[in-house]
Amino acid sequence: MDVLMLFVGQTTPTGGSPNAMGLFPIALMLGLVVFMLLSARSQKKREQRAKDDMYSRLTKNDRVLTIGGIIGTVMSVKDNEVVLKVDETTNTKMTFLKTSVQRILADDTAVLADKR
């Protein structure tokens, strides 16, 4: 009720002016929500840039993991497609969208080697 009276410009029933400190928690919560939304948005953009960078680095003979759990070796990279060799003995190849590649496994082994 005090918030409404503050916007209307009326006084409180006791005759005094509305307490501005009553608005402080609301303003604080609103500021926190805005900060969290902006933070989440920037993190999502950063993750998308990292994915786009990974897709641009895909080259022949890279070992990759798809989002379906298939591990294969890149045979060729086209505009939106990646051809993976998934079985060495039968020479089985499968075509995937670039966005189906979850990560490049060679990158993971390089990171592990650097940590040791």
Side-chain angles (χ1 to χ4, degrees), residues 16-87:
S17 64
N19 187 359
M21 289 303 290
L23 288 179
F24 182 71
I26 295 171
L28 185 64
M29 293 286 271
L30 183 63
L32 183 62
V33 168
V34 168
F35 173 74
M36 289 173 63
L37 289 174
L38 290 175
S39 200
R41 183 174 178 213
S42 66
Q43 181 178 355
K44 189 171 183 175
K45 281 185 177 183
R46 213 175 346 196
E47 289 172 359
Q48 185 61 41
R49 278 193 298 261
K51 283 273 192 190
D52 291 341
D53 180 48
M54 180 191 66
Y55 297 143
S56 68
R57 287 186 290 122
L58 278 176
T59 58
K60 187 174 180 176
N61 296 325
D62 281 346
R63 292 206 25 98
V64 297
L65 173 68
T66 67
I67 57 175
I70 298 172
I71 297 174
T73 304
V74 176
M75 298 307 296
S76 67
V77 179
K78 298 177 186 170
D79 293 334
N80 274 343
E81 298 178 350
V82 177
V83 178
L84 300 180
K85 181 190 267 187
V86 293
D87 189 10

Side-chain angles (χ1 to χ4, degrees), residues 6-22:
L6 180 66
F7 288 121
V8 176
Q10 296 179 353
T11 61
T12 60
T14 59
S17 64
N19 187 359
M21 289 303 290

